[in-house]
Amino acid sequence: MKVQEFVCAYFPISYINKNNVIVIASVCGAGAHVVIACRDTTKGEMAVQEIKRVVPNGNIVTFSLDLSSLQSVHTFATKLLRSEPRIHILINNAGVACCPQWKTEDGFEMQLGVNHLGHFLLTLLLLDCLKKSAPARIINVSSVAHRLGKIHFEDIHLENCFNPFTAYYQSKLANVLFTNELAKRLQGSGVTAYALHPGAVQTELGRYLSTSVNCYVGWMFYVFGFLFFKSAEQGAQTTIYCAVTEELENQTGLYYKDCQIAEPAQQAQDEEAAKRFWELSEHLVGLKNT
């Protein structure tokens, strides 16, 4: 994608880590105007300063966004649409993993709420602007963990069978199903959608394991990650690839791993499930009453 000075890239992230910084710096370096949307704006401003040390002329601002609150999503989208006439790249990159049985402000299971429903609502609120800005791209950061996922339609918040891993797997499958149905609905609009697995990366994603499972699992995850996981630089590459690679302009609805098209799990290719889950998501975020 040819990034010009007027291009706006948005990174809804629940916290800033080195992986995010590298992605944002890379897109800034390509000439994009970037809005970092994050829950902790203090950390967001720290990230801006770090990025500007790499890209001194980077055009970056920070907005507050808590994806565990539908009200926050609405407030952010309204502010963003008032301040920015175009949106060319939307990267949905928030991630909470294997946390205890927490609920969002709106009563959703936390991982489904943050990893999927917050992104789902935000994307649909920004969709008209994305269409007007075409060509535009929507990138949903999923995980290879979607292969273990199942959408629990009859107990979507896992109130009767909660397990921190089951909840995470469901939310990551949700990312791929959302991408597939979104791409289908956007055919011919000039807006393309991609899902991706960034790899197992050395970030803070496993920070709740000590609480939700036990301290030994948390410690083992940290040690294993230090020894074998991708570096932040490596983990950022597929997100950057999907955001700016020109060859992807005519591709949509695909799943990527290591900067290549990959085959998602069979349950992620279920068109009926994707449509049903879309309709359920609309209902949950209040876009449809029935």
Side-chain angles (χ1 to χ4, degrees), residues 188-206:
S189 68
V191 182
T192 50
Y194 316 88
L196 67 94
H197 169 54
V201 188
Q202 296 173 17
T203 69
E204 301 171 46
L205 195 62

Side-chain angles (χ1 to χ4, degrees), residues 225-237:
F226 179 78
L227 293 174
F228 300 108
F229 285 5
K230 288 183 177 182
S231 67
E233 289 82 359
Q234 293 169 331
Q237 295 311 306

Side-chain angles (χ1 to χ4, degrees), residues 115-129:
N115 297 354
H116 168 64
L117 292 171
H119 288 148
F120 178 85
L121 176 61
L122 177 62
T123 301
L124 295 196
L125 293 176
L126 301 180
L127 205 52
D128 284 345
C129 187

Side-chain angles (χ1 to χ4, degrees), residues 80-100:
L80 189 61
L81 292 171
R82 285 176 178 170
S83 67
E84 304 294 341
R86 298 185 181 93
I87 304 172
H88 292 88
I89 306 170
L90 172 64
I91 300 182
N92 290 317
N93 192 45
V96 58
C98 303
C99 65

